[in-house]
Structure formats: C-alpha cells, structure tokens
Amino acid sequence: MKAITKLPLRCVCLCYGRLFSVSSSANCSESPQRNECTVFPPKFKPKRALVLTKMSRYEYEKKMCQSETEEGLQRYLAERGSDYEGVLIRHNIHHSNLKEVKETLEKEDIETKIVQRFEYTPDAIQWADIVLSAGGDGTFLLAASKIKDRSKPLVGINTDPARSEGYLCLPTKFSLRVSDALERFLAGKFK
C-alpha cells in the first residue's frame, strides 16, 4: 500500500480497502500533486445507498425504560441523574442531519435505505453501491467492520459535530452542511 501523505485523522474516507484524504489541507495517495481525492471517478453516481445510523441515547433510554409515556421516561432519566431535555435535543440534532442525508441522496435519484445496527446485514451491504455511516466514529467502525468487498465505498458523516469530533468522519465543515458535502461528492468535486 502506498504511503498517505499529510493525512489528518479527521478527514478520511475508506474505499477500496484504503484510507484517503478528503480535505483541501491534505493530499490523497492517488493524486499527491493535485491536492484532491480521486477515489471515485468524476461524477460517481451510485444507484443505491445504505445509511447505517446510530441509535441515539434517547432511543436507547426509551427502549431501556419501557415506559409508554414521555413523563415516564423523564422520571426514569431523572432517577439516573440524566437531563431529559439534553438527551432529546441531541436526538433531534442527529435525526435532523440524518433526514438531510436521506433527502440529499433522494434528490440525486439515489434509492436510499436507512438501517440501524441489527438491520446492517451482509445482504443490505451487498444491495448498496455506497455505504454511509451517520453517527460518529463508533458507527463508522461498525460500518467498516462488516464490509467485505474492498471496492465498496464508505463515507462517515458525523451527525452531531458540535458535540463530538468524529475523527473518522467527514470534516466538521462538511458535517455541518451535509447536503453540500454529498452534492460535491456526487459531482466528483470533493477536494
């Protein structure tokens, strides 16, 4: 494998079994002089995208609490010393960004499936032309661990960049504007 030069950990995508830079401050091992990532051919146009999403803490706590009401969940979290409002805000931020990912892909006429960890199966991965992880580094690592086809592109999107770094995901400036990142990526202009 070629050495990757000037690779900041937070600006990578995984494709063909190798890491590539996708920021303007770094070089891709495939084009060290042109300062751009050439992992995907210009105007890469997948027909099907699989988005692996994390389970938000709100979703997790709701499942653990088994209360049928929000008031029951609030009491459950308060007993554990957790802030219901904060948990709900983080959940809404994640789902807002997840919705933006889905809408952007569908606007480009890409059939999109959103799955959580237990629905992330070999058949689902095989179905997709590209896999996107929506969450943070843990979601990215889960997505990468199950992809057996080294030519299957994987792109990580940090759905809560104000709260977490997402070193294996797209840079924060792209995570804050997911639609811009995906549009540039699909147009072959991701530098």
Side-chain angles (χ1 to χ4, degrees):
M1 175 161 53
K2 296 178 186 177
I4 299 175
T5 58
K6 297 183 187 177
L7 180 63
L9 288 177
R10 61 185 317 193
C11 307
V12 296
C13 66
L14 180 66
C15 183
Y16 304 111
R18 298 176 290 181
L19 291 174
F20 294 88
S21 164
V22 293
S23 78
S24 59
S25 64
N27 293 324
C28 175
S29 64
E30 295 295 301
S31 63
Q33 305 306 319
R34 293 187 3 206
N35 202 24
E36 63 185 68
C37 183
T38 59
V39 175
F40 305 103
K43 303 214 184 226
F44 172 68
K45 186 68 174 165
K47 292 181 177 147
R48 296 179 302 250
L50 183 66
V51 181
L52 172 63
T53 182
K54 71 175 188 175
M55 177 183 281
S56 72
R57 177 153 180 232
Y58 173 84
E59 292 165 323
Y60 174 79
E61 296 290 1
K62 190 150 179 98
K63 192 172 197 166
M64 297 305 293
C65 172
Q66 298 178 356
S67 174
E68 299 200 11
T69 66
E70 288 298 304
E71 294 78 21
L73 179 60
Q74 286 176 341
R75 281 192 305 276
Y76 174 79
L77 289 173
E79 290 169 4
R80 299 183 60 218
S82 295
D83 174 29
Y84 170 82
E85 293 297 324
V87 169
L88 186 59
I89 287 169
R90 307 282 27 122
H91 169 79
N92 290 337
I93 289 169
H94 166 71
H95 277 276
S96 173
N97 286 326
L98 182 61
K99 180 180 175 189
E100 185 179 358
V101 168
K102 184 175 182 2
E103 288 174 353
T104 301
L105 291 168
E106 289 175 345
K107 185 176 90 179
E108 296 290 330
D109 293 323
I110 300 170
E111 185 180 352
T112 305
K113 286 185 186 177
I114 297 177
V115 297
Q116 287 190 341
R117 71 176 2 185
F118 298 112
E119 303 160 318
Y120 188 61
T121 63
D123 288 340
I125 296 166
Q126 182 65 31
W127 170 85
D129 299 321
I130 185 170
V131 176
L132 295 97
S133 68
D137 289 346
T139 310
F140 181 88
L141 290 170
L142 173 62
S145 73
K146 293 192 175 193
I147 296 176
K148 305 298 183 212
D149 179 359
R150 293 174 57 116
S151 66
K152 180 86 56 178
L154 167 62
V155 176
I157 298 169
N158 184 355
T159 54
D160 193 359
R163 179 96 184 230
S164 67
E165 289 296 323
Y167 288 101
L168 298 175
C169 300
L170 293 176
T172 300
K173 71 178 182 178
F174 291 116
S175 291
L176 290 170
R177 298 184 55 134
V178 174
S179 60
D180 289 351
L182 291 174
E183 287 169 7
R184 290 180 67 194
F185 175 76
L186 295 170
K189 298 178 181 175
F190 206 91
K191 295 181 182 179

